[in-house]
Amino acid sequence: MEEYLNLVPVRNEKVELKKIDGKYYLLIPMDSKLDFLARKLHGEYRRIELDEVGAYTWELCDGRRTVNEIGKALKARFGNEVEPLYERLVTFLVELGKRYLVEFKRMDGIV
C-alpha cells in the first residue's frame, strides 16, 4: 500500500459526478459500439452510486494531489468516519482504476 501514497490519481475526463435525487453518481458514457444494447436498456450512461466520502474523494482526484494528500483532506473533513483511512482509500482508488475511471501517475509521468 505504501507504493500508492505518492501516486497521483487522475480522473477519466469523460466521467462526471452528478447529484441526482440527493445521491451522488458517477456517470460513465457508454460510447462503445458494444454498448449499443445497454444504451437501449439503460440510456447513455452507466451509473455508479457513491456515498459522500466517495464523491469527495472523486473531486479530490484532480491530477495534482497525491493519495497521501487526498487522505489528509478526507481525514480533515470526515474525521474517524473514514478509518482505516489509507486501506479504504487505496482499495477505492484501485477499484476505480480497474474500471478505467482513474489512472495513476507519478509526478514525473504515468505509472
Side-chain angles (χ1 to χ4, degrees):
M1 183 182 50
E2 288 287 317
E3 65 271 15
Y4 283 97
L5 296 184
N6 292 317
L7 296 180
V8 178
V10 182
R11 292 185 298 249
N12 179 331
E13 293 177 3
K14 294 180 179 179
V15 179
E16 66 180 296
L17 177 68
K18 282 240 191 237
K19 193 170 186 178
I20 303 169
D21 298 328
K23 294 182 179 182
Y24 294 100
Y25 294 94
L26 291 181
L27 299 180
I28 305 153
M30 291 194 279
D31 49 13
S32 161
K33 289 184 185 336
L34 300 174
D35 288 326
F36 174 76
L37 187 56
R39 276 196 306 277
K40 283 262 191 230
L41 296 172
H42 304 292
E44 294 298 311
Y45 296 94
R46 198 173 290 122
R47 299 190 326 180
I48 297 176
E49 185 176 341
L50 299 178
D51 62 10
E52 190 175 348
V53 174
Y56 188 56
T57 302
W58 176 260
E59 291 174 348
L60 293 171
C61 294
D62 59 5
R64 294 189 300 270
R65 293 178 178 94
T66 64
V67 172
N68 191 36
E69 292 167 333
I70 291 170
K72 288 177 182 175
L74 290 170
K75 182 73 171 175
R77 180 163 176 178
F78 296 103
N80 288 335
E81 182 183 333
V82 291
E83 292 297 341
L85 175 58
Y86 289 102
E87 290 87 347
R88 290 176 64 187
L89 177 57
V90 168
T91 299
F92 178 67
L93 293 173
V94 167
E95 285 301 314
L96 291 179
K98 287 179 185 174
R99 297 174 184 202
Y100 305 103
L101 303 178
V102 299
E103 63 182 4
F104 293 95
K105 69 176 187 176
R106 290 191 181 95
M107 296 316 278
D108 58 1
I110 300 294
V111 172

